[in-house]
Amino acid sequence: MSPVVRLPGLVDVHVHLREPGGEHKETFATGTAAALAGGVTLVLAMPNTSPPIVDERAFMEATRRAQAGARCDYALFLGATHTNAPLSPSLQRRAAGLKIYVNETFGPLRVTSLPALIAHMRQWRGPGPVAVHAEGLMVPAIVALAAMTGARVHFCHISRAAELAVIRAAKEQGLPVTCEVTPHHLWLTEQDVPRLGSFGQMRPPLATPADRDALWANLDVIDCVATDHAPHTREEKAGPAPPPGVPGLETMLPLLLTAVHEGRLTMERLVALTHTCPMAIFNLPPQPDTWVDVDLGAEWVVPEQGWHTRVDWSPFAGLHLRGRVVRTQLRGDVVYESGRVIASPGSGRDVRTTTHFTGSRQKGVTDV
Ligand code: NCD
Ligand code: ZN
């Protein structure tokens, strides 16, 4: 019997759950089932849905669907547009954070105007930070705007050595910036693209082996590991215009446990990257009686299919891993065990409108 270790429930600050408008790729019910199977008990959902979550009406519709479907706890991001600053204080309070897409990616959300960027960064006062998709030269540009506006900026999916160097310098100057990296940028590189084809395409794209090595060598600058779980169907990925993005909720923790086994990461740092830092950066409330049991000795090969995510494929298929999720508990209830998701749709809670969690059945108190 190999050692079972209990970790706090993981918090994934970057997932795409596709509701509304992309239910054939993922729903709140399927994506949060994948989360629980991966030991993730709290997800922050991205706003590049269809329609995108950029106003009260869209936010309410997504909230309604999340309330009905989510099996783990969650909060929803708002998306920035050229015209929606300032977002109302009530919306800011209810959102996970404000997502600004500065670089191009899946969906139409993008802010390229400097005045709009300044307006958003000046006027955002939410409990969550401004989360920015910025690549290359846009990283120092956003650092400069953080210095100018005082906005708390969280950089999404940093993937290159030079970007990380800029973030290190910004932190050394005392600027309130944080960053996340994804498992796919830690494990895969552009050398995997010939093998993976369009199934290895995402934004930011897989980088060079030197970039990947720089992420590992600079783990001290990295605040969180987040999946950027971005499901698209096999048919879409194999089609003529494959959308960027890969699923990752069910493989993040086993990959990180493998790194612990290999001596590339300590268990303490794993918990900081996937739980403590995400909670602090996004001002998230504790989840009592919430944990994940992992079997540190389990050896397995990542399969092609058999996943809980609706798209049922993985860019990590074929990797040999060491460590596996055995059981997940959320607020006192076992919600995943031995391959089976037990939590029902609607049992997850919105952590921005529920001020405390006392016992698994008690209704939360809303502050809106
Ligand atoms: C994401 C998606 O599919 O929604 N795709 C991706 O390649 N990461 C969008 C995003 O996070 O940029
Ligand atoms: Zn994303």
Side-chain angles (χ1 to χ4, degrees), residues 200-212:
Q201 281 173 18
M202 75 295 288
R203 300 290 166 80
L206 293 174
T208 65
D211 287 316
R212 178 208 48 202

Side-chain angles (χ1 to χ4, degrees), residues 159-243:
S159 61
R160 301 181 186 96
E163 296 165 351
L164 208 50
V166 170
I167 289 169
R168 180 184 286 284
K171 287 185 169 192
E172 283 170 1
Q173 289 177 28
L175 291 172
V177 301
T178 53
C179 71
E180 76 197 25
V181 300
T182 70
H184 46 269
H185 292 115
L186 285 166
W187 263 268
L188 303 171
T189 71
E190 60 188 18
Q191 293 182 341
D192 294 294
V193 175
R195 175 176 65 84
L196 292 169
S198 56
F199 291 82
Q201 281 173 18
M202 75 295 288
R203 300 290 166 80
L206 293 174
T208 65
D211 287 316
R212 178 208 48 202
D213 294 347
L215 300 186
W216 285 103
N218 291 279
L219 275 181
D220 61 317
V221 192
I222 294 166
D223 299 280
C224 319
V225 176
T227 59
D228 192 8
H229 177 84
H232 299 285
T233 66
R234 283 176 197 267
E235 293 70 31
E236 289 167 335
K237 291 297 269 186

Side-chain angles (χ1 to χ4, degrees), residues 14 16 18 46 48 99 101 104-107 133 157 184 201-204 228-232 243-246:
H14 192 143
H16 298 267
R18 305 303 189 202
M46 285 294 162
N48 63 334
K99 177 70 185 281
Y101 292 90
E104 194 186 327
T105 188
F106 178 69
H133 173 166
H157 42 49
H184 46 269
Q201 281 173 18
M202 75 295 288
R203 300 290 166 80
D228 192 8
H229 177 84
H232 299 285
V246 296

Side-chain angles (χ1 to χ4, degrees), residues 79-167:
T81 72
H82 285 126
T83 53
N84 72 348
L87 286 146
S88 74
S90 149
L91 263 178
Q92 296 197 19
R93 231 185 0 258
R94 285 178 282 154
L98 175 69
K99 177 70 185 281
I100 307 184
Y101 292 90
V102 178
N103 289 96
E104 194 186 327
T105 188
F106 178 69
L109 276 185
R110 186 147 175 224
V111 179
T112 51
S113 131
L114 183 56
L117 278 174
I118 293 171
H120 274 297
M121 291 174 72
R122 280 227 164 98
Q123 294 170 43
W124 182 259
R125 293 277 175 278
V130 177
V132 184
H133 173 166
E135 298 182 39
L137 280 173
M138 285 302 171
V139 173
I142 296 298
V143 166
L145 292 181
M148 175 186 155
T149 61
R152 248 177 349 111
V153 172
H154 176 75
F155 284 96
C156 301
H157 42 49
I158 288 296
S159 61
R160 301 181 186 96
E163 296 165 351
L164 208 50
V166 170
I167 289 169

